Amino acid sequence: MYKYGVVRMDDLINDILGWQRFYLCGRLQKPVNIIMDSLDLENLNHINLRAATSAALLLLPSKFTEEDLYAKICSLSYMGDLRMLFAEDKNKVKKIVQGQFSLFHRMYNPFLEEYAAKDLLRLSSSGDAQVTISQDCGSSAASKFVSSLPPPIRSQMGIKLGEKKILDELGRVKQQVVIGSKEEAAQCMQKLLRNKVMISSARQAVAGLLTVGVFGGARYVSKKMQKAWKS
């Protein structure tokens, strides 16, 4: 059996670039197999992956492992998910990352190297080949991570935290979110994403019941709950 969905391409692109619902973009932050790509979706998704890397770094401490980073990225789309309260395996994120670690590495290593080249991260390997990552937790580094988030998220953060006008490399005036501290920016972003995921998960739960029927939905939920209890 397959679980599938149908979506308009403009809705998909809006979610990838703007995290409008943080549903499809969340799925594409994890390893997927693109069977046919008529819109060069893989390259378009690089913007989503860079934003996910930045969001995870805002939420992580000064020192962590590569696996910690991928787990935090994977968990972004589960923050606020109502189903995680009673109908999902509590170890779901850990199992996803450990089962597909090499695929996560292939997806996100280019961004780690990019940020390391900009002196935002320091990468070091131990004897067990596990990469340890250290990051700059200052407000300047946090501001750079926030600048990689989708424009709608930055705009909402600007409403909460304030904005200031700056000149970009081309001399154009643009708005920048005022970052008092990394922790403040992380909390603000986390609250925004949690609300988006909560709404999307509720919509999907209702849509699931409507499409498969009450009995089919109840059977599906009961199986999910059994997995959750076992975990």
PDB file of all heavy atoms in Angstrom, residues 59-83:
ATOM      1  N   LEU A  59      18.834  26.655  16.707  1.00  0.00           N
ATOM      2  CA  LEU A  59      18.263  25.911  17.829  1.00  0.00           C
ATOM      3  C   LEU A  59      19.287  25.053  18.574  1.00  0.00           C
ATOM      4  O   LEU A  59      18.995  24.569  19.664  1.00  0.00           O
ATOM      5  CB  LEU A  59      17.128  25.011  17.327  1.00  0.00           C
ATOM      6  CG  LEU A  59      15.906  25.742  16.743  1.00  0.00           C
ATOM      7  CD1 LEU A  59      14.976  24.752  16.043  1.00  0.00           C
ATOM      8  CD2 LEU A  59      15.159  26.496  17.822  1.00  0.00           C
ATOM      9  N   LEU A  60      20.467  24.888  17.988  1.00  0.00           N
ATOM     10  CA  LEU A  60      21.484  24.018  18.581  1.00  0.00           C
ATOM     11  C   LEU A  60      22.463  24.809  19.458  1.00  0.00           C
ATOM     12  O   LEU A  60      22.646  26.011  19.264  1.00  0.00           O
ATOM     13  CB  LEU A  60      22.250  23.289  17.473  1.00  0.00           C
ATOM     14  CG  LEU A  60      21.495  22.141  16.796  1.00  0.00           C
ATOM     15  CD1 LEU A  60      22.163  21.747  15.488  1.00  0.00           C
ATOM     16  CD2 LEU A  60      21.390  20.934  17.732  1.00  0.00           C
ATOM     17  N   PRO A  61      23.105  24.125  20.416  1.00  0.00           N
ATOM     18  CA  PRO A  61      24.079  24.794  21.293  1.00  0.00           C
ATOM     19  C   PRO A  61      25.396  25.072  20.565  1.00  0.00           C
ATOM     20  O   PRO A  61      25.502  24.850  19.347  1.00  0.00           O
ATOM     21  CB  PRO A  61      24.265  23.785  22.428  1.00  0.00           C
ATOM     22  CG  PRO A  61      23.980  22.465  21.793  1.00  0.00           C
ATOM     23  CD  PRO A  61      22.898  22.717  20.783  1.00  0.00           C
ATOM     24  N   SER A  62      26.395  25.497  21.294  1.00  0.00           N
ATOM     25  CA  SER A  62      27.672  25.875  20.686  1.00  0.00           C
ATOM     26  C   SER A  62      28.445  24.676  20.143  1.00  0.00           C
ATOM     27  O   SER A  62      29.265  24.820  19.241  1.00  0.00           O
ATOM     28  CB  SER A  62      28.534  26.639  21.692  1.00  0.00           C
ATOM     29  OG  SER A  62      28.793  25.826  22.830  1.00  0.00           O
ATOM     30  N   LYS A  63      28.190  23.476  20.673  1.00  0.00           N
ATOM     31  CA  LYS A  63      28.917  22.290  20.235  1.00  0.00           C
ATOM     32  C   LYS A  63      27.952  21.110  20.120  1.00  0.00           C
ATOM     33  O   LYS A  63      27.138  20.879  21.022  1.00  0.00           O
ATOM     34  CB  LYS A  63      30.046  21.959  21.209  1.00  0.00           C
ATOM     35  CG  LYS A  63      31.047  20.941  20.688  1.00  0.00           C
ATOM     36  CD  LYS A  63      32.237  20.833  21.637  1.00  0.00           C
ATOM     37  CE  LYS A  63      33.289  19.873  21.091  1.00  0.00           C
ATOM     38  NZ  LYS A  63      34.486  19.793  21.969  1.00  0.00           N
ATOM     39  N   PHE A  64      28.046  20.371  19.017  1.00  0.00           N
ATOM     40  CA  PHE A  64      27.126  19.262  18.769  1.00  0.00           C
ATOM     41  C   PHE A  64      27.726  18.361  17.710  1.00  0.00           C
ATOM     42  O   PHE A  64      28.751  18.694  17.091  1.00  0.00           O
ATOM     43  CB  PHE A  64      25.750  19.774  18.322  1.00  0.00           C
ATOM     44  CG  PHE A  64      25.832  20.796  17.207  1.00  0.00           C
ATOM     45  CD1 PHE A  64      25.747  20.400  15.880  1.00  0.00           C
ATOM     46  CD2 PHE A  64      26.013  22.141  17.487  1.00  0.00           C
ATOM     47  CE1 PHE A  64      25.845  21.318  14.857  1.00  0.00           C
ATOM     48  CE2 PHE A  64      26.107  23.077  16.464  1.00  0.00           C
ATOM     49  CZ  PHE A  64      26.018  22.675  15.147  1.00  0.00           C
ATOM     50  N   THR A  65      27.092  17.223  17.467  1.00  0.00           N
ATOM     51  CA  THR A  65      27.585  16.288  16.456  1.00  0.00           C
ATOM     52  C   THR A  65      26.804  16.456  15.150  1.00  0.00           C
ATOM     53  O   THR A  65      25.738  17.088  15.111  1.00  0.00           O
ATOM     54  CB  THR A  65      27.450  14.838  16.925  1.00  0.00           C
ATOM     55  OG1 THR A  65      26.045  14.521  17.042  1.00  0.00           O
ATOM     56  CG2 THR A  65      28.133  14.627  18.265  1.00  0.00           C
ATOM     57  N   GLU A  66      27.339  15.849  14.106  1.00  0.00           N
ATOM     58  CA  GLU A  66      26.659  15.878  12.812  1.00  0.00           C
ATOM     59  C   GLU A  66      25.292  15.217  12.918  1.00  0.00           C
ATOM     60  O   GLU A  66      24.308  15.698  12.337  1.00  0.00           O
ATOM     61  CB  GLU A  66      27.528  15.172  11.769  1.00  0.00           C
ATOM     62  CG  GLU A  66      27.051  15.328  10.348  1.00  0.00           C
ATOM     63  CD  GLU A  66      27.976  14.679   9.337  1.00  0.00           C
ATOM     64  OE1 GLU A  66      28.975  14.057   9.753  1.00  0.00           O
ATOM     65  OE2 GLU A  66      27.691  14.776   8.126  1.00  0.00           O
ATOM     66  N   GLU A  67      25.205  14.138  13.681  1.00  0.00           N
ATOM     67  CA  GLU A  67      23.914  13.462  13.865  1.00  0.00           C
ATOM     68  C   GLU A  67      22.928  14.358  14.601  1.00  0.00           C
ATOM     69  O   GLU A  67      21.728  14.361  14.294  1.00  0.00           O
ATOM     70  CB  GLU A  67      24.101  12.152  14.627  1.00  0.00           C
ATOM     71  CG  GLU A  67      22.820  11.337  14.758  1.00  0.00           C
ATOM     72  CD  GLU A  67      23.021   9.994  15.421  1.00  0.00           C
ATOM     73  OE1 GLU A  67      24.049   9.340  15.150  1.00  0.00           O
ATOM     74  OE2 GLU A  67      22.152   9.599  16.231  1.00  0.00           O
ATOM     75  N   ASP A  68      23.413  15.126  15.583  1.00  0.00           N
ATOM     76  CA  ASP A  68      22.549  16.069  16.293  1.00  0.00           C
ATOM     77  C   ASP A  68      21.941  17.080  15.317  1.00  0.00           C
ATOM     78  O   ASP A  68      20.763  17.439  15.427  1.00  0.00           O
ATOM     79  CB  ASP A  68      23.338  16.836  17.360  1.00  0.00           C
ATOM     80  CG  ASP A  68      23.782  15.945  18.510  1.00  0.00           C
ATOM     81  OD1 ASP A  68      23.122  14.919  18.762  1.00  0.00           O
ATOM     82  OD2 ASP A  68      24.797  16.285  19.163  1.00  0.00           O
ATOM     83  N   LEU A  69      22.771  17.556  14.378  1.00  0.00           N
ATOM     84  CA  LEU A  69      22.292  18.536  13.398  1.00  0.00           C
ATOM     85  C   LEU A  69      21.185  17.946  12.541  1.00  0.00           C
ATOM     86  O   LEU A  69      20.128  18.570  12.351  1.00  0.00           O
ATOM     87  CB  LEU A  69      23.452  18.988  12.508  1.00  0.00           C
ATOM     88  CG  LEU A  69      23.056  19.883  11.326  1.00  0.00           C
ATOM     89  CD1 LEU A  69      22.477  21.210  11.807  1.00  0.00           C
ATOM     90  CD2 LEU A  69      24.245  20.125  10.402  1.00  0.00           C
ATOM     91  N   TYR A  70      21.400  16.742  12.022  1.00  0.00           N
ATOM     92  CA  TYR A  70      20.390  16.137  11.154  1.00  0.00           C
ATOM     93  C   TYR A  70      19.111  15.823  11.930  1.00  0.00           C
ATOM     94  O   TYR A  70      18.003  15.942  11.383  1.00  0.00           O
ATOM     95  CB  TYR A  70      20.950  14.864  10.507  1.00  0.00           C
ATOM     96  CG  TYR A  70      22.192  15.093   9.680  1.00  0.00           C
ATOM     97  CD1 TYR A  70      23.131  14.084   9.494  1.00  0.00           C
ATOM     98  CD2 TYR A  70      22.440  16.332   9.088  1.00  0.00           C
ATOM     99  CE1 TYR A  70      24.275  14.295   8.735  1.00  0.00           C
ATOM    100  CE2 TYR A  70      23.587  16.560   8.340  1.00  0.00           C
ATOM    101  CZ  TYR A  70      24.499  15.540   8.176  1.00  0.00           C
ATOM    102  OH  TYR A  70      25.634  15.751   7.437  1.00  0.00           O
ATOM    103  N   ALA A  71      19.257  15.432  13.182  1.00  0.00           N
ATOM    104  CA  ALA A  71      18.077  15.175  14.010  1.00  0.00           C
ATOM    105  C   ALA A  71      17.289  16.459  14.232  1.00  0.00           C
ATOM    106  O   ALA A  71      16.054  16.452  14.211  1.00  0.00           O
ATOM    107  CB  ALA A  71      18.498  14.573  15.350  1.00  0.00           C
ATOM    108  N   LYS A  72      17.999  17.561  14.439  1.00  0.00           N
ATOM    109  CA  LYS A  72      17.303  18.842  14.644  1.00  0.00           C
ATOM    110  C   LYS A  72      16.606  19.286  13.360  1.00  0.00           C
ATOM    111  O   LYS A  72      15.468  19.778  13.400  1.00  0.00           O
ATOM    112  CB  LYS A  72      18.308  19.901  15.102  1.00  0.00           C
ATOM    113  CG  LYS A  72      17.666  21.238  15.486  1.00  0.00           C
ATOM    114  CD  LYS A  72      16.696  21.084  16.643  1.00  0.00           C
ATOM    115  CE  LYS A  72      17.408  20.755  17.937  1.00  0.00           C
ATOM    116  NZ  LYS A  72      16.454  20.713  19.087  1.00  0.00           N
ATOM    117  N   ILE A  73      17.272  19.100  12.220  1.00  0.00           N
ATOM    118  CA  ILE A  73      16.640  19.431  10.936  1.00  0.00           C
ATOM    119  C   ILE A  73      15.398  18.580  10.735  1.00  0.00           C
ATOM    120  O   ILE A  73      14.326  19.085  10.357  1.00  0.00           O
ATOM    121  CB  ILE A  73      17.632  19.204   9.773  1.00  0.00           C
ATOM    122  CG1 ILE A  73      18.755  20.251   9.812  1.00  0.00           C
ATOM    123  CG2 ILE A  73      16.909  19.270   8.426  1.00  0.00           C
ATOM    124  CD1 ILE A  73      19.882  19.987   8.831  1.00  0.00           C
ATOM    125  N   CYS A  74      15.529  17.287  10.992  1.00  0.00           N
ATOM    126  CA  CYS A  74      14.411  16.361  10.815  1.00  0.00           C
ATOM    127  C   CYS A  74      13.243  16.711  11.734  1.00  0.00           C
ATOM    128  O   CYS A  74      12.075  16.556  11.359  1.00  0.00           O
ATOM    129  CB  CYS A  74      14.898  14.939  11.075  1.00  0.00           C
ATOM    130  SG  CYS A  74      13.697  13.651  10.709  1.00  0.00           S
ATOM    131  N   SER A  75      13.555  17.200  12.936  1.00  0.00           N
ATOM    132  CA  SER A  75      12.513  17.494  13.926  1.00  0.00           C
ATOM    133  C   SER A  75      11.758  18.785  13.650  1.00  0.00           C
ATOM    134  O   SER A  75      10.703  19.019  14.238  1.00  0.00           O
ATOM    135  CB  SER A  75      13.127  17.563  15.330  1.00  0.00           C
ATOM    136  OG  SER A  75      13.940  18.723  15.474  1.00  0.00           O
ATOM    137  N   LEU A  76      12.292  19.639  12.758  1.00  0.00           N
ATOM    138  CA  LEU A  76      11.637  20.923  12.490  1.00  0.00           C
ATOM    139  C   LEU A  76      10.179  20.732  12.072  1.00  0.00           C
ATOM    140  O   LEU A  76       9.295  21.458  12.526  1.00  0.00           O
ATOM    141  CB  LEU A  76      12.392  21.688  11.392  1.00  0.00           C
ATOM    142  CG  LEU A  76      13.801  22.185  11.704  1.00  0.00           C
ATOM    143  CD1 LEU A  76      14.429  22.822  10.457  1.00  0.00           C
ATOM    144  CD2 LEU A  76      13.775  23.192  12.853  1.00  0.00           C
ATOM    145  N   SER A  77       9.946  19.759  11.196  1.00  0.00           N
ATOM    146  CA  SER A  77       8.591  19.569  10.665  1.00  0.00           C
ATOM    147  C   SER A  77       7.697  18.765  11.599  1.00  0.00           C
ATOM    148  O   SER A  77       6.536  18.492  11.273  1.00  0.00           O
ATOM    149  CB  SER A  77       8.654  18.870   9.297  1.00  0.00           C
ATOM    150  OG  SER A  77       9.323  17.626   9.396  1.00  0.00           O
ATOM    151  N   TYR A  78       8.214  18.375  12.780  1.00  0.00           N
ATOM    152  CA  TYR A  78       7.397  17.692  13.781  1.00  0.00           C
ATOM    153  C   TYR A  78       7.101  18.564  14.992  1.00  0.00           C
ATOM    154  O   TYR A  78       6.308  18.173  15.850  1.00  0.00           O
ATOM    155  CB  TYR A  78       8.082  16.398  14.239  1.00  0.00           C
ATOM    156  CG  TYR A  78       8.234  15.371  13.137  1.00  0.00           C
ATOM    157  CD1 TYR A  78       9.497  14.917  12.754  1.00  0.00           C
ATOM    158  CD2 TYR A  78       7.124  14.865  12.471  1.00  0.00           C
ATOM    159  CE1 TYR A  78       9.640  13.983  11.737  1.00  0.00           C
ATOM    160  CE2 TYR A  78       7.258  13.935  11.453  1.00  0.00           C
ATOM    161  CZ  TYR A  78       8.522  13.494  11.090  1.00  0.00           C
ATOM    162  OH  TYR A  78       8.658  12.577  10.088  1.00  0.00           O
ATOM    163  N   MET A  79       7.743  19.741  15.073  1.00  0.00           N
ATOM    164  CA  MET A  79       7.473  20.640  16.198  1.00  0.00           C
ATOM    165  C   MET A  79       6.024  21.116  16.124  1.00  0.00           C
ATOM    166  O   MET A  79       5.611  21.698  15.120  1.00  0.00           O
ATOM    167  CB  MET A  79       8.416  21.861  16.150  1.00  0.00           C
ATOM    168  CG  MET A  79       9.868  21.553  16.393  1.00  0.00           C
ATOM    169  SD  MET A  79      10.881  23.046  16.604  1.00  0.00           S
ATOM    170  CE  MET A  79      10.546  23.931  15.083  1.00  0.00           C
ATOM    171  N   GLY A  80       5.253  20.842  17.146  1.00  0.00           N
ATOM    172  CA  GLY A  80       3.858  21.262  17.142  1.00  0.00           C
ATOM    173  C   GLY A  80       2.908  20.303  16.463  1.00  0.00           C
ATOM    174  O   GLY A  80       1.697  20.536  16.442  1.00  0.00           O
ATOM    175  N   ASP A  81       3.442  19.211  15.887  1.00  0.00           N
ATOM    176  CA  ASP A  81       2.591  18.229  15.208  1.00  0.00           C
ATOM    177  C   ASP A  81       1.724  17.526  16.255  1.00  0.00           C
ATOM    178  O   ASP A  81       2.236  16.832  17.135  1.00  0.00           O
ATOM    179  CB  ASP A  81       3.468  17.222  14.453  1.00  0.00           C
ATOM    180  CG  ASP A  81       2.659  16.323  13.518  1.00  0.00           C
ATOM    181  OD1 ASP A  81       1.485  16.051  13.820  1.00  0.00           O
ATOM    182  OD2 ASP A  81       3.217  15.891  12.495  1.00  0.00           O
ATOM    183  N   LEU A  82       0.430  17.684  16.139  1.00  0.00           N
ATOM    184  CA  LEU A  82      -0.499  17.110  17.113  1.00  0.00           C
ATOM    185  C   LEU A  82      -0.398  15.587  17.169  1.00  0.00           C
ATOM    186  O   LEU A  82      -0.613  14.983  18.218  1.00  0.00           O
ATOM    187  CB  LEU A  82      -1.931  17.530  16.767  1.00  0.00           C
ATOM    188  CG  LEU A  82      -2.211  19.045  16.778  1.00  0.00           C
ATOM    189  CD1 LEU A  82      -3.627  19.313  16.306  1.00  0.00           C
ATOM    190  CD2 LEU A  82      -1.985  19.621  18.162  1.00  0.00           C
ATOM    191  N   ARG A  83      -0.032  14.978  16.049  1.00  0.00           N
ATOM    192  CA  ARG A  83       0.051  13.517  16.001  1.00  0.00           C
ATOM    193  C   ARG A  83       1.199  12.979  16.835  1.00  0.00           C
ATOM    194  O   ARG A  83       1.180  11.823  17.250  1.00  0.00           O
ATOM    195  CB  ARG A  83       0.178  13.059  14.544  1.00  0.00           C
ATOM    196  CG  ARG A  83      -1.054  13.367  13.696  1.00  0.00           C
ATOM    197  CD  ARG A  83      -0.790  13.232  12.230  1.00  0.00           C
ATOM    198  NE  ARG A  83       0.194  14.223  11.763  1.00  0.00           N
ATOM    199  CZ  ARG A  83       0.521  14.397  10.489  1.00  0.00           C
ATOM    200  NH1 ARG A  83      -0.062  13.671   9.559  1.00  0.00           N
ATOM    201  NH2 ARG A  83       1.407  15.309  10.145  1.00  0.00           N
TER     202      ARG A  83
END
